[in-house]
């Protein structure tokens, strides 16, 4: 460890700077400790904002410079927000410069002194395929990582989190920002630096699709699933299916959401589509229509799944175990439904349609 410290003075100055940057947000404000608590009096799900919002930069003098081996991504294979970061690690060829560790899929007790349920690491590598013990801090829970980064943290201990091994702190826990950093700032150490998922000429269109997809689809399925009253559910499910119909129509004319090249908008939509028929349809009551009943959306999901590297970011076992097993107020007995076991490696027509 000491080998990483440039000089004790510099180290503590950087640590203080990083902590100020990382903690420049309302850490002392009382926040929900679980997504299931983020429901307003009207019964609607209302997601809290992420807390750690510092940026890694290609500028070598920045507090968090983009260097190989310094950062680690803590994820859950179950989580769509974490999976989009994982997808970027694979697509950009950054997985040897930035390691990652997945937690166990089912929430567990994070402290003996309270009843919080959250992400936990396995005690050994062979405990749960895909999940690994924390390699750097020996943390038993993601909550512990947040507590190492800030003693004042009272918010939700969420994944993904981009961890700085040198300063032992969370750089950023907002996936929409982490993916932009992975796209833009690490090109000098990426194996695929030429892949730009946010090209300037498509930025306006990417932002427009992201606005539609985030609110109505990515977060929309959670609004359906976590609603505690009928009317917020009705509103969320209507918005969800209006947005899916719109995507289906866009994809009838072009291979990807912003044209005929893969962009950030596709990675962001994919992580919800791949979980939809297996989990959201049943667990979150999104059963008006399945993705496999939309010809374009279904083939588009297969198309993206078959991009080299992408299938390794999809662990359906973790996805199914997590949702059905971690929300006792929705599924009290934790029973995992049998189907549908879709083959996303099956042929699709997208390449032929849009040559
Ligand atoms: N805005 C965050 C959201 C992350 C998030 O909500 N992650 C969920 C898993 S899918 C989580 O860790 N939840 C912990 C909990 O509910 O206790 C991001 O996009 O990075």
């Amino acid at each position: 460890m000491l080998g990483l410290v440039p000089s004790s003075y510099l180290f503590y100055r950087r640590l203080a700077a990083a902590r100020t940057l990382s903690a420049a947000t309302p850490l002392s404000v009382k926040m929900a400790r679980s997504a299931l608590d983020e429901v307003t009096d009207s019964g609607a799900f209302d997601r809290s904002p992420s807390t750690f919002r510092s940026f890694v930069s290609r500028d070598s003098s920045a507090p968090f410079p983009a260097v190989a081996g310094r950062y680690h991504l803590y994820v859950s294979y179950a989580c769509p927000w974490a999976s989009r970061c994982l997808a970027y690690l694979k697509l950009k060829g950054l997985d040897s410069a930035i390691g990652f560790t997945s937690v166990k899929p089912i929430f567990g007790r994070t402290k003996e002194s309270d009843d919080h349920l959250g992400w936990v690491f396995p005690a050994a590598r062979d405990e749960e395929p895909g999940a690994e013990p924390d390699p750097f801090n020996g943390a038993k829970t993601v909550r512990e990582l947040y507590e190492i980064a800030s003693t004042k943290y009272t918010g939700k201990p969420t994944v993904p989190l981009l961890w700085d091994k040198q300063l032992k702190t969370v750089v950023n826990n907002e996936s929409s920002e982490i993916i932009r950093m992975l796209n833009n700032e690490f090109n000098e150490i990426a194996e695929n630096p030429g892949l730009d998922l946010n090209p300037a000429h498509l930025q306006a269109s990417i932002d427009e699709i992201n606005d539609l997809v985030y609110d109505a689809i990515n977060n929309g399925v959670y609004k359906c699933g976590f609603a505690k009253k009928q009317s917020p559910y009705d509103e969320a499910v209507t918005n969800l299916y209006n947005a899916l119909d719109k995507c289906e129509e866009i994809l009838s004319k072009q291979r990807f959401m912003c044209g005929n090249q893969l962009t950030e908008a596709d990675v962001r939509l994919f992580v919800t589509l791949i979980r939809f028929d297996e989990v959201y349809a049943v667990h979150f009551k999104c059963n008006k229509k399945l993705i496999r009943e939309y010809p374009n959306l279904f083939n588009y999901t297969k198309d993206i799944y078959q991009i080299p590297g992408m299938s390794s970011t999809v662990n359906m076992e973790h996805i199914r175990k997590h949702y059905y097993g971690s929300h006792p107020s929705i599924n009290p007995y934790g029973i995992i439904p049998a189907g549908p076991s879709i083959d996303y490696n099956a042929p699709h027509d997208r390449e032929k349609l849009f040559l």
Side-chain angles (χ1 to χ4, degrees), residues 178-221:
I178 298 173
I179 60 176
R180 294 238 166 147
M181 287 179 234
L182 298 177
N183 187 63
N184 301 333
E185 304 300 325
F186 288 88
N187 284 330
E188 274 194 20
I189 52 173
E191 281 159 35
N192 299 322
L195 176 73
D196 184 2
L197 293 166
N198 270 84
H201 72 286
L202 292 176
Q203 196 57 63
S205 150
I206 293 169
D207 290 341
E208 191 186 323
I209 296 293
N210 285 348
D211 282 349
L212 166 81
V213 167
Y214 173 77
D215 194 49
I217 301 180
N218 299 142
N219 202 32
V221 292

Side-chain angles (χ1 to χ4, degrees), residues 105-122:
I106 301 184
F107 283 165
R109 285 280 298 276
T110 59
K111 267 207 179 137
E112 280 182 12
S113 52
D114 61 40
D115 57 3
H116 175 254
L117 294 174
W119 298 115
V120 294
F121 295 96

Side-chain angles (χ1 to χ4, degrees), residues 33 35 47 50 79 81 107 119 158-160 173-175 222:
R33 291 218 65 103
R47 185 179 291 279
S50 303
C79 169
W81 320 104
F107 283 165
W119 298 115
T158 55
V159 290
N173 68 340
E174 171 48 48
S175 60
Y222 284 87

